[in-house]
Amino acid sequence: MEEIFALGLLIDWNDTAENLYNRKLDELFLENPDNPDLLELELKCGSIKETVIYIRNHINFSNINTETFVKSLVGCLKILYYSMDIEIFSKLSYRLWLRLPSHISENSLLSILNYMDDYVSIGFIDSAKQNYERLFAYYE
């Protein structure tokens, strides 16, 4: 479940993120058709905005395995990182950081998502890339 929630927070990034989310949701729903959260997410398929709102407002992130969620999230970020421009990625990373529950966003390594957009905007692209890649390596 943690992976679908992670993908759901990234669904509006690009087509790659949306496709990853839809495949994972279909897979999990077929395995667990009685899960009310998966059923609701299936019903919201096609409405990216509603999906993000549902996940942010209805999923109790204190009841999920935070370590598994963060590892899934960072794994998804890594896929997206290599499929898009660093400037766009850094802006979306900041927006993602704002979406995360505070007990997750306060994780010291995830704070990279908060400030790397500043690095990119002032031209420290190599430093930003090194920091993102350090985050990915930590969670591999």
Side-chain angles (χ1 to χ4, degrees):
M1 290 298 291
E2 288 81 357
E3 186 177 6
I4 197 64
F5 300 145
L7 285 165
L9 292 175
L10 301 168
I11 191 173
D12 59 347
W13 279 37
N14 64 17
D15 290 341
T16 301
E18 184 178 2
N19 291 334
L20 289 169
Y21 171 83
N22 286 329
R23 280 195 305 256
K24 189 63 175 178
L25 178 59
D26 290 345
E27 174 189 319
L28 287 174
F29 184 68
L30 289 173
E31 292 171 6
N32 307 288
D34 296 329
N35 183 298
D37 288 323
L38 293 174
L39 175 60
E40 191 63 36
L41 291 171
E42 277 288 345
L43 293 172
K44 295 189 179 317
C45 245
S47 176
I48 292 172
K49 184 177 180 180
E50 284 185 33
T51 297
V52 172
I53 290 170
Y54 181 83
I55 289 172
R56 286 193 65 216
N57 295 328
H58 293 93
I59 303 305
N60 186 347
F61 282 91
S62 61
N63 290 338
I64 66 171
N65 182 316
T66 302
E67 185 177 325
T68 302
F69 171 78
V70 172
K71 187 172 183 166
S72 294
L73 181 68
V74 173
C76 298
L77 285 171
K78 182 178 179 181
I79 292 168
L80 297 173
Y81 172 81
Y82 289 109
S83 73
M84 60 194 333
D85 180 77
I86 186 75
E87 292 172 354
I88 295 169
F89 183 86
S90 66
K91 288 184 186 330
L92 293 172
S93 293
Y94 175 70
R95 189 169 75 194
L96 168 64
W97 184 81
L98 293 173
R99 287 181 176 169
L100 294 172
S102 61
H103 76 282
I104 295 173
S105 66
E106 291 170 358
N107 172 314
S108 61
L109 282 174
L110 289 182
S111 66
I112 288 170
L113 303 175
N114 177 19
Y115 61 85
M116 279 306 105
D117 185 39
D118 293 337
Y119 276 45
V120 171
S121 67
I122 58 174
F124 296 154
I125 293 176
D126 288 337
S127 293
K129 287 180 178 181
Q130 288 172 353
N131 279 295
Y132 283 128
E133 291 167 11
R134 182 171 50 100
L135 173 67
F136 304 148
Y138 182 83
Y139 285 101
E140 286 184 335

